[in-house]
Amino acid sequence: VLKTVARDREVLAAVSNKNIFHMLQLFVDGIKAAGVPNSMVVALDDETAAWLQERQVAHYVKKIKSRTGSTDNHATSGLKFAILKEFVQVGCSVLLSDVDVVWLRDPMPVFESEQLRSMHLLVQRDMVYGLNAGVFLVRASNFTTILMERWIDDMVGPNATHVRKKKEMHDM
């Protein structure tokens, strides 16, 4: 999928399961209306994959579950780092978006400046929590691969200390 969707080895991606089709519909409508050519969704279950296929949305299926087995938003959110790691390991940078984000235009050109191109990780600021992991860019590099491994270990590994991505991002 990345070979056909990625533009300059970059994609805008979201992760979803069958629990949030109403939000996923808004996300899909937004990326289509904004004309984001390199967008895709990682489906966490077959129902979501079928839903995306019906709407002709680029996607692939990655059946993974949280360590508790929960499929709620917070549990699903923690899975994103394992998915991100796969993207960066194959040399693809990812602008990861929650499905409750509505895109009004293609955001990728914003990240083309020399200053931003040199950054490995760009995270949205949040006035309440300091960081907001609803939208962030991860550039493909050895550094970000290691960072993803640390996040995964800290959030879902055998000695996990955090289960919320905002908390983990802030601590890193």
Side-chain angles (χ1 to χ4, degrees), residues 86-151:
E86 291 181 357
F87 280 85
V88 298
Q89 282 182 316
V90 296
C92 188
S93 298
V94 183
L95 177 60
L96 187 72
S97 173
D98 282 352
V99 295
D100 61 354
V101 174
V102 176
W103 295 99
L104 301 178
R105 65 176 184 226
D106 185 352
M108 299 311 269
V110 172
F111 304 106
E112 297 298 320
S113 74
E114 275 305 311
Q115 181 183 15
L116 295 181
R117 274 228 164 266
S118 66
M119 295 184 182
H120 294 276
L121 180 67
L122 294 168
V123 182
Q124 170 187 344
R125 288 189 50 90
D126 187 310
M127 297 309 290
V128 176
Y129 298 105
L131 295 175
N132 184 333
V135 176
F136 61 99
L137 178 73
V138 179
R139 300 259 187 224
S141 69
N142 289 334
F143 171 80
T144 54
T145 300
I146 292 167
L147 184 62
M148 293 302 113
E149 288 170 355
R150 281 188 61 196
W151 268 334

